[in-house]
Amino acid sequence: MKLNYNNKLYKIIFIGVVFAALVVASGCADKAASDKNQEGSSPSEASGVSGADKAAESGELTITDGFGREVTIPESVERVVCSGAGCLRYLVYLQAQEYVVGVDSMDQKENELDGRPYVYANPQLKNYPLIGEARGKDDPEKIIEINPQVILKTSMIGQSAAPTATEADALQDKTGVPVVSFPYGSLNNETQKAEMYNSLRVMGKVVGKQERAEEVINYINATMQDLENRTADIPESERKTVYVGGVSSAGAHGIISTEPAYAPFLWVNAKNVAAGMGTDHADIAKEALIDWDPEYIFIDVGTLQLGNEGAVGELKNDTSLAGLSAVKNKKVYGVIPYNFYSTNYESVLANAYFIGKVLYPDRFKDIDPEAKANEIYTFFVGKPVFSDLNGEYSNMGFKQIL
């Protein structure tokens, strides 16, 4: 009897152990399922939280840059570097230059002549650490030393997306710093204008200057509309024929260097004699200029960097150009250089008012071109730098030069 009692006791203990094991196993399974829902390969399916939401929760922000790349950046950005021609200019437009912690060789060096208003308004930028050479030739090691939170990178005007996006990916891989890239854009046509505006908005989102980006875009639109409104009803037969020469493009050029889609001519409804040459920068034959024989010639005074007064010297000394109507009638005028390390759009807008005043003085009788230029410069770069800029070019801008 004692043996049987012990057997029964062992059976009861065994059943209890098994039952306890099942309870523990069930609890582990429930926990594993819970963990899987929270930490498994598809957390968004389990919780309804997207990757962007998780980035926001962790103090990060995922944005789509100007080339369709998704880039995750800190939610609050206060340390940036700018790579590529014109990138730092846009940052100044957005009033975010205080976030810059390094500059490239073009923004660091002293140029004998400099056509960039943002440099005159922000001389302190030359004292920042170097991040590499000009035009996006970055030094990853120098960037790492400076430790920015984000690298902003522009492409050249008209450059296709693929190379810039590839460069951005490579720079991001080498530095471990998020790279937000975008096209520089232009105001020469609707496609490039849309690129420019989107780029300002992308940059504004990175540095928390969305409202300022919209202010800049609205100012540009309002200014172009004002110019158009002043001249839109001028009959075709009364619109002046014009030419702009000496236009800078990756350096200074002479009289044959021009812009067939020169925006100031478009905005004031003047007839650009080179308009048939396409939309990009063009070098024409002198014979073509002689055949076109425009009523007015405007010289981009950036040409003075060539020496011998550049395009101005050519008009003075080249006998083949002496017969041009604009030269004989003393209708040759200087305009502020606008292509200097990509386009200075504030100078483009300022030039348009001067050109409008010269061609159609009755339509611009309320405009003092220099005062208007300073108003524009103050809006874009924070200071009225017309005199500083023009003084670099022998004060030949906004005046009759021949």
Side-chain angles (χ1 to χ4, degrees), residues 319-347:
T319 55
S320 67
L321 301 175
L324 288 169
S325 296
V327 175
K328 292 190 296 183
N329 297 328
K330 300 187 182 304
K331 293 183 177 180
V332 179
Y333 299 84
V335 289
I336 295 298
Y338 71 97
N339 275 341
F340 199 113
Y341 206 40
S342 205
T343 302
N344 298 277
Y345 291 107
E346 63 278 28
S347 292

Side-chain angles (χ1 to χ4, degrees), residues 41 61 128 161 346 352 397-398:
S41 59
L61 177 68
Y128 280 73
E346 63 278 28
F398 289 14

